[in-house]
Amino acid sequence: MSGAALGLEIVFVFFLALFLLHRYGDFKKQHRLVIVATLLAWYLCFLIVFILPLDVSTTIYNRCKLAVNSSPAESNGSYVTLAPSKQKCFKPWSYIPDGIMPIFWRVVYWTSQFLTWILLPFMQSYARSGGFSITGKIKTALIENAIYYGTYLLIFGAFLYMNQLQTIGIAAANTWGLFLLVLLLGYGLVEIPRSHWNGAKRGYLLMKTYFKAAKLMTEKADAEENLEDIMEEVRKVSESIKYNHPLRKCVDTILKKCPTEYQERMGRNMDDYEDFDERQNSYPSEKSLAKLHKQVIYSVQRHRRTQVQWQILLEQAFYLEDVAKNESSATRQFVHTFHSQEPENKIIQYFYTPTVEWYWECLLRPWFCRVLAVVLATFSVIVVWSECTFFSTKPVLSLFAVFIQLAEKTYNYIYIEMACFLTIFFLSICVYSTVFRIRVFNYYYLASHHQTDAYSLLFSGMLFCRLTPPLCLNFLGLTHMDATISHKNTQPTAYTSIMGSMRVLSFIADGFYIYYPMLVVILCIATYFSLGTRCLNLLGFQQFMGDSEMTSDLIDEGKELIRREKRKRQRQEEGENRRREWKERYGNRDESTRSRAVHTDQKESSFSETNANRPLSKYTRSNGRTERDRIELLQDAEPLDFNADSVNDDPLESDSGRYQPGGRYLSMSRSKIFDDV
């Protein structure tokens, strides 16, 4: 099993990152380089979180081997081992051979740092550039990042002749990451348990959905207005720059990024055969067209995102209203107002019946949310306590360190790995969920259902790469696996061996790294009392607050919007039902009428062919005409064309002909034509 656990987790984490990126990104429309760079950044960060518990268990096993094979107070290189133990060291099931983890961590860490500090910022500028060629986009990206990269060159140039260049780089990256980590962690430790607790309150969720609907409608209207203004500028540019102008290719590139309806509208109003006159008309420059191209990309993406989010929010509001109605149901069967627009899995339909859905949504789910909120709140309290006391080694006050040390005495590796995984996983959820929730105006916003733009995806990759290394160092400090915290000269983990150079900078290792995480208490208190939300509300940013008059007005507005959309969808479903009933009632009759018409035509054709070959002596006369004369007249006669309304009130029933959908009669009965002849 050596290395098998490492290989399995490497494969599992890759598909996990791919699944999350598929949920937020759009593989079909976004550039492949953006997808690959974001996937690599997410993958490396998630990989650190999942592999670190294996590193901890392997390190504990190596310490045990050193303790067994060494004499008391024997020095093994740079590490002082413990007294020999009579207990046999059992190799963990996930043991990773020596020499693999240091190389693995070095590749993962430095690749992620290269992504977050050099490649991803460049790709951000490249993705938002409005250039019309690869060279133009690269030039724009380099100009925008000139100050960014100039700062790097200045710092590296100052320490170029120092042997501590790697130390300075690691310390600077982790200091910045730890500063941002505590801010996001303080928010997530409180907000995640509270969101699950509020999830059990149906009325609260419904009111918040109404509030979101009002805000989203404002954003949706603003996005539509902005798109209209940009499309008007595009139309003017398209009409001014004709087909033989040198910049016409740039205009065509811009038009391809516009929605289809605007492209058709502009195509109808444009005369491509009119030549341009450089003397009389003033044309925009390529730089202004690049700026317009950038605005078109942003406005189209924003408009599409708000449209999709509005549909998703409507489904949530309708479902919450259905839950509120079904809570008082006597039949205990969940009834939906609208059927799902997406086809459901037959297996899910078989097991998740209306009765099961009623018990889950109306009875069990609120209690499940409350229990989960209590468990998460307990974890949050443990994290806050450990963050404030992890520097204390005698006695050991960090609860995570206590749990790991108790398991280390019995060498229960499965328990050690599970405890480490749950701890770092909870810390990661608190930090990463905040990254997915925060929104920096309209520049950074992770939207699900494939609505996240390239800039936001790359920015999230940068945040993950900057937050994960200090997060893992903080975890090792909480569990006292970091020698800087435990003050024991024992064998460190392979991950700590890369970060061990921070000891050179004592004011960071013994000062900022130890005491700054205590600020998480202040941030948790501020988040609990919603101080940030109240400040934003005072500044004019609309936030959901139960005791605010503005919130009440937006809730009422959102409720009216949802009610209006509900009536609109009900009318659409009623129209579809009427069309379906009409088709079911008269569709079969149309088919039978059509089949009778075809059968009669075939019968008349065979009758005429049979009698046309008979000798004349066998014909009889009727009304002064032979039967052959009547047959010839029948064959030469033009098809009669009647209007359904002029023949009979009911177009589907007529004695004089057969009606085909479309209002035309295909053929007349033979006796009627004979009488006319």
Side-chain angles (χ1 to χ4, degrees), residues 333 343-357:
Q333 288 189 349
E344 297 182 358
N345 193 345
K346 294 182 178 180
I347 299 177
I348 297 177
Q349 290 180 349
Y350 179 78
F351 291 100
Y352 198 61
T353 61
T355 303
V356 175
E357 186 176 5

Side-chain angles (χ1 to χ4, degrees), residues 175-201:
T175 301
W176 165 248
L178 184 62
F179 175 79
L180 189 60
L181 172 69
V182 173
L183 296 178
L184 301 180
L185 184 62
Y187 176 83
L189 288 173
V190 176
E191 193 61 30
I192 289 179
R194 182 163 59 184
S195 62
H196 286 85
W197 181 266
N198 292 330
K201 304 175 183 178

Side-chain angles (χ1 to χ4, degrees), residues 407-642:
E408 186 178 359
K409 292 180 180 180
T410 59
Y411 298 101
N412 190 347
Y413 296 110
I414 295 180
Y415 172 80
I416 292 174
E417 292 176 2
M418 290 300 299
C420 292
F421 176 75
L422 291 177
T423 303
I424 194 172
F425 184 74
F426 179 73
L427 293 174
S428 303
I429 290 295
C430 293
V431 175
Y432 292 164
S433 64
T434 308
V435 174
F436 281 98
R437 287 186 181 186
I438 61 175
R439 177 176 180 179
V440 183
F441 299 104
N442 287 320
Y443 294 99
Y444 170 73
Y445 183 31
L446 287 177
S448 58
H449 296 81
H450 321 290
Q451 298 304 311
T452 306
D453 58 352
Y455 184 88
S456 298
L457 287 176
L458 295 171
F459 190 78
S460 66
M462 291 173 54
L463 286 179
F464 285 156
C465 291
R466 296 180 186 183
L467 289 171
T468 304
L471 172 67
C472 295
L473 283 178
N474 183 255
F475 159 75
L476 294 174
L478 294 178
T479 56
H480 287 188
M481 294 298 297
D482 189 354
T484 306
I485 305 301
S486 61
H487 302 290
K488 295 179 181 179
N489 196 16
T490 57
Q491 182 179 3
T493 61
Y495 186 82
T496 312
S497 63
I498 298 177
M499 306 297 176
S501 56
M502 288 184 62
R503 292 183 178 182
V504 179
L505 303 176
S506 58
F507 67 95
I508 293 180
D510 299 331
F512 181 83
Y513 182 69
I514 298 296
Y515 298 104
Y516 179 72
M518 296 182 185
L519 294 179
V520 73
V521 179
I522 300 177
L523 294 172
C524 288
I525 294 174
T527 305
Y528 180 79
F529 291 103
S530 303
L531 296 182
T533 302
R534 296 180 186 276
C535 292
L536 291 175
N537 199 31
L538 291 175
L539 294 175
F541 297 96
Q542 300 168 349
Q543 301 294 320
F544 183 76
M545 298 179 61
D547 54 351
S548 174
E549 182 178 356
M550 182 183 298
T551 301
S552 301
D553 295 339
L554 289 176
I555 289 175
D556 295 337
E557 180 182 351
K559 186 184 297 185
E560 182 61 30
L561 290 173
I562 297 299
R563 187 182 297 112
R564 187 183 308 167
E565 292 291 336
K566 193 172 185 178
R567 290 198 299 265
K568 180 180 178 181
R569 183 169 296 187
Q570 287 176 346
R571 289 195 297 269
Q572 291 178 353
E573 288 197 354
E574 289 175 358
E576 292 178 359
N577 293 333
R578 286 195 297 268
R579 287 191 292 270
R580 190 181 302 111
E581 292 177 358
W582 179 271
K583 186 176 181 180
E584 292 176 355
R585 177 180 299 179
Y586 298 108
N588 297 330
R589 301 173 66 178
D590 293 342
E591 293 295 334
S592 62
T593 305
R594 188 182 301 110
S595 62
R596 288 200 305 269
V598 173
H599 177 71
T600 305
D601 292 340
Q602 294 176 351
K603 185 176 181 181
E604 292 174 352
S605 176
S606 60
F607 174 79
S608 60
E609 291 177 358
T610 303
N611 291 286
N613 297 325
R614 292 182 180 179
L616 293 175
S617 60
K618 293 185 179 181
Y619 284 105
T620 59
R621 294 182 176 272
S622 174
N623 296 329
R625 295 179 182 270
T626 63
E627 187 176 354
R628 165 167 287 195
D629 295 334
R630 288 193 293 270
I631 293 174
E632 291 176 353
L633 289 173
L634 174 64
Q635 293 176 346
D636 297 335
E638 295 291 336
L640 298 180
D641 187 8
F642 292 100

Side-chain angles (χ1 to χ4, degrees), residues 24 84 89 204 289 305 385 529 658:
Y24 287 90
C89 297
Y204 174 86
L289 290 179
R305 183 182 66 201
W385 171 262
F529 291 103
R658 300 177 182 84

